[in-house]
Amino acid sequence: MTSNVFVIGMNDLNAERLKRLRGVEDVTFHPLLTPAQVYETQDFDIPAMLSDAEATLDAFDGSIDAIVGYMDFPVSTMLPILCRKYGTPQASLEALLKCEHKYWSRSVMRESIPDHIPKFTAFDPFDDNALSKIGEAELRFPFFVKPIKSSGSRLGFRIDSPEDFDYATEKLRAEIRTIGEPFDHVLAQADLPDEIRAVEGHYCMAEQVIGGRQCTVEGYVQGGEVVPYGTVDSIRYPQVLSFFYYLYPSTLPPKVQDKMWEITRTIMSHIGYDDAAFNVEYYWDEVQDKIWLLEINTRIAQSHCDLFEMVDGVSHQQVTIDLGLGRKPDMPHREGAQNVAAEFFYRVFFNDATVARVPSEAEIQVAAEQGTPGTRIGNHVSRGMRLSELPEQDAYSYAIASIWMGASKHSKLLWNYDHVLKKLDYEFTDIAE
């Protein structure tokens, strides 16, 4: 009997990945909302998206066996609402918000894992006295600010001085309502404690600066059992906050990874998150031998899909689909063709620029052939566009391409990346340094 799985924002790349999963011979995947609606835009009209999705589901002449997604906001926050209405497995909206509402998330972490979180406070970026109130919360320079709900590293800033705070506040005031207002729509549908309801969608977090070697623990919860299944390193460019590449498997000491998995089980159980995938971002401070929990995301990391497929044998979308269908995830381990794999981010560190040239499809194919079989290059820009038009960028750089590849060992992976990069010819004009 065929199972019908609806995938929010499914694109061609992920449609192909889904076909390669285990046990999907009797599964039909249906797109629900278009990529243009959910991530090729910065206009997140959640009521309209939910209405469109419900119209598609109501009109479907068959069983609705699962509704899934593999992206951050707004997809992750719509899933509990849709799954609740159509009776498919998914974490509750309240459990999801205990992860995604950064102030609520820190508050529940303080209850269960207080030794692994920084000092924090929420603030209103439209409050002219916000900086002094942050000081009253015993946060001193340097600290980090970010929206209580964002995606990627968007609108995150390190604050070393009042001037830095003024710059961040200007950016936050200009852009934060893009996500803050639709997030308020989601919050209005949840049962929130009064102290959390007071921290609205446009609020921000100020946090003590934490650091060290960064990684992400991928996992899921089913029937109350928390199951971590992989750790991916997040390597940054030297001296900046921008990511250089994601590396799987992690190179952190096994005892550190084991401790992170233990912390993960504790916090996800405390939250009451169930029947869904997640990933948790951590730092390990080698000097102090201290583990910091950065944040919890209520989805698999899409950037890691190819890494798991190269090393373990299938994309970890396996977990998402199996959970959505109420099956125990059939995730293999170390059955892939490569020993290590990475997603590299080809970045430029401009304030802005116009793209004057991008590699042709033929040039991209030649570049990919410099890597191992299966190397994939995703170009993110087009000729004539301004870099500032790119969505989901951090505050310090622009990712103009992504390169996924595997290798037999880490050193070979870096060597391959260097050779691929030499074949990618991008040019820019009107550069704002």
Side-chain angles (χ1 to χ4, degrees):
M1 186 173 178
T2 299
S3 296
N4 296 296
V5 176
F6 288 82
V7 185
I8 300 180
M10 183 168 67
N11 58 16
D12 292 342
L13 171 63
N14 283 289
E16 288 302 313
R17 283 174 175 157
L18 292 170
K19 292 177 185 176
R20 299 195 294 269
L21 300 182
R22 295 180 168 192
V24 297
E25 299 81 5
D26 59 349
V27 174
T28 301
F29 295 103
H30 304 270
L32 185 62
L33 302 175
T34 66
Q37 286 176 285
V38 297
Y39 66 86
E40 294 172 1
T41 179
Q42 297 192 50
D43 180 18
F44 303 115
D45 188 343
I46 286 186
M49 291 180 193
L50 288 170
S51 179
D52 285 356
E54 290 169 3
T56 298
L57 293 166
D58 290 342
F60 183 67
D61 186 22
S63 61
I64 299 170
D65 300 294
I67 306 170
V68 302
Y70 41 77
M71 289 174 286
D72 200 343
F73 187 87
V75 173
S76 58
T77 43
M78 288 193 290
L79 275 172
I81 298 170
L82 291 170
C83 290
R84 180 173 57 190
K85 179 172 182 178
Y86 293 94
T88 60
Q90 177 59 232
S92 70
L93 180 58
E94 287 74 19
L96 177 136
L97 289 173
K98 286 179 184 179
C99 303
E100 293 207 357
H101 185 300
K102 288 184 169 47
Y103 181 72
W104 198 2
S105 186
R106 284 302 193 204
S107 298
V108 296
M109 290 177 199
R110 184 166 52 194
E111 295 168 357
S112 60
I113 52 166
D115 293 338
H116 301 287
I117 64 170
K119 293 181 181 178
F120 67 94
T121 190
F123 70 94
D124 183 347
F126 295 91
D127 180 356
D128 290 337
N129 295 316
L131 184 57
S132 62
K133 292 178 180 178
I134 290 170
E136 291 169 5
E138 299 185 358
L139 278 167
R140 303 288 183 261
F141 298 126
F143 57 86
F144 202 79
V145 300
K146 55 188 175 182
I148 63 150
K149 179 60 200 147
S150 186
S151 57
S153 301
R154 187 165 176 255
L155 294 179
F157 302 90
R158 179 186 165 103
I159 308 300
D160 288 285
S161 67
E163 292 75 21
D164 286 347
F165 189 77
D166 290 344
Y167 173 80
T169 299
E170 180 183 356
K171 293 288 188 181
L172 289 163
R173 289 178 176 179
E175 300 181 37
I176 198 168
R177 292 197 187 278
T178 302
I179 289 183
E181 290 182 359
F183 192 51
D184 276 333
H185 176 80
V186 175
L187 294 176
Q189 301 190 48
D191 183 13
L192 305 178
D194 290 342
E195 66 271 19
I196 301 303
R197 190 172 297 280
V199 181
E200 299 175 10
H202 70 274
Y203 270 56
C204 295
M205 291 284 288
E207 295 190 345
Q208 168 192 355
V209 171
I210 56 178
R213 294 173 61 181
Q214 188 172 356
C215 69
T216 300
V217 172
E218 297 278 357
Y220 65 87
V221 190
Q222 187 177 51
E225 181 185 5
V226 183
V227 183
Y229 57 83
T231 306
V232 180
D233 288 341
S234 303
I235 313 297
R236 296 183 185 270
Y237 281 86
Q239 307 304 316
V240 293
L241 293 174
S242 301
F243 289 116
F244 177 18
Y245 61 100
Y246 299 141
L247 176 69
Y248 181 68
S250 171
T251 58
L252 290 174
K255 68 174 184 177
V256 174
Q257 295 187 55
D258 289 346
K259 181 62 178 178
M260 289 176 175
W261 287 25
E262 177 187 327
I263 296 167
T264 299
R265 294 186 187 97
T266 299
I267 184 59
M268 299 311 292
S269 296
H270 181 72
I271 286 171
Y273 191 85
D274 205 358
D275 294 324
F278 65 84
N279 69 75
V280 185
E281 298 178 51
Y282 287 100
Y283 286 112
W284 175 49
D285 183 331
E286 293 180 79
V287 175
Q288 300 183 62
D289 191 23
K290 185 173 181 65
I291 293 172
W292 298 102
L293 195 158
L294 179 59
E295 65 182 22
I296 304 169
N297 300 300
T298 56
R299 54 178 171 77
I300 63 166
Q302 188 182 179
S303 286
H304 300 164
C305 287
D306 286 5
L307 312 189
F308 278 95
E309 185 163 13
M310 291 176 187
V311 175
D312 287 339
V314 298
S315 160
H316 63 157
Q317 285 171 314
Q318 185 78 49
V319 171
T320 298
I321 300 305
D322 285 341
L323 288 171
L325 290 169
R327 310 189 302 204
K328 182 174 177 60
D330 183 18
M331 191 67 199
H333 183 72
R334 306 298 187 264
E335 296 181 17
Q338 308 295 342
N339 294 330
V340 297
E343 177 189 5
F344 292 92
F345 299 95
Y346 182 8
R347 296 183 181 272
V348 291
F349 294 84
F350 306 143
N351 279 333
D352 207 353
T354 299
V355 181
R357 185 189 189 281
V358 299
S360 66
E361 287 296 324
E363 289 173 319
I364 288 175
Q365 181 58 39
V366 169
E369 291 171 357
Q370 302 299 305
T372 50
T375 293
R376 184 168 64 83
I377 300 173
N379 170 57
H380 303 323
V381 296
S382 58
R383 187 174 178 272
M385 75 177 291
R386 294 290 285 175
L387 292 176
S388 53
E389 297 171 22
L390 279 169
E392 303 298 326
Q393 302 297 303
D394 65 35
Y396 303 97
S397 67
Y398 296 97
I400 61 173
S402 292
I403 302 166
W404 291 265
M405 64 171 67
S408 58
K409 57 184 179 179
H410 190 193
S411 58
K412 180 64 172 175
L413 191 66
L414 294 171
W415 188 89
N416 286 346
Y417 171 70
D418 186 57
H419 280 257
V420 169
L421 208 60
K422 290 175 181 177
K423 299 291 184 180
L424 295 177
D425 185 12
Y426 288 89
E427 295 179 6
F428 303 90
T429 59
D430 306 320
I431 296 172
E433 295 289 354

